[in-house]
Amino acid sequence: MGEIAVFEKDKKPNKWIQYDVDTEVLIFYQDREDLNAIRIKAEKNARLTGANSSKLMDIYLGRKAVGGWRKIEDHKHPGLTIGGKPIEFNERNLDMFMTKSNEFARFVNEKCVDSLEFLEEGVLPNGQ
């Protein structure tokens, strides 16, 4: 049987998902309605500002779908680095990763819509 996950609007899950061998990212599930709202916002702001709507969509998706990153064995360390320098989780760094790192943006884009990922153990109640 094929399992299908459907979550109530106010009870959408989030989960720490392993990004690489020692880093995990807190991902908030995004349904079709969420993605459509992000697309509309990006297109509107692109028309108003002349910015690239795809880039804005990546930024807005990251801001809605990512709640943090950390080293799996040491939660005080951010886990993500550039040139060996730890990169703290904040909006500016998140925006940079969503627009400059194909690997990170692809990870977020794939994981935040994978409803079956959120049926597994380790799913946190919405807002955790």
Side-chain angles (χ1 to χ4, degrees), residues 11-118:
K11 294 184 181 177
K12 284 189 243 169
N14 59 77
K15 177 181 179 183
W16 286 99
I17 299 176
Q18 189 165 347
Y19 175 71
D20 62 13
V21 295
D22 66 350
T23 305
E24 58 190 1
V25 178
L26 180 58
I27 299 290
F28 291 83
Y29 176 71
Q30 304 298 302
D31 62 20
R32 295 181 60 81
E33 186 177 325
D34 296 324
L35 296 177
N36 192 45
I38 291 167
R39 181 187 55 77
I40 290 168
K41 179 180 178 181
E43 289 173 354
K44 177 182 177 183
N45 286 331
R47 280 192 307 277
L48 294 172
T49 65
N52 180 296
S53 64
S54 294
K55 185 175 181 177
L56 288 176
M57 188 156 172
D58 286 339
I59 288 169
Y60 297 152
L61 177 64
R63 290 178 183 179
K64 189 147 187 203
V66 178
W69 52 70
R70 66 187 184 190
K71 195 169 185 177
I72 294 171
E73 298 296 326
D74 177 9
H75 293 176
K76 293 179 184 177
H77 188 286
L80 295 178
T81 62
I82 294 178
K85 179 182 174 191
I87 305 298
E88 298 296 324
F89 175 75
N90 60 44
E91 190 173 272
R92 188 176 125 212
N93 289 337
L94 174 59
D95 292 352
M96 176 189 58
F97 284 154
M98 289 301 294
T99 58
K100 304 285 186 196
S101 172
N102 290 333
E103 295 78 18
F104 186 83
R106 182 176 49 247
F107 172 82
V108 172
N109 274 274
E110 290 173 1
K111 295 300 182 181
C112 77
V113 298
D114 184 358
S115 59
L116 296 181
E117 177 81 48
F118 293 91

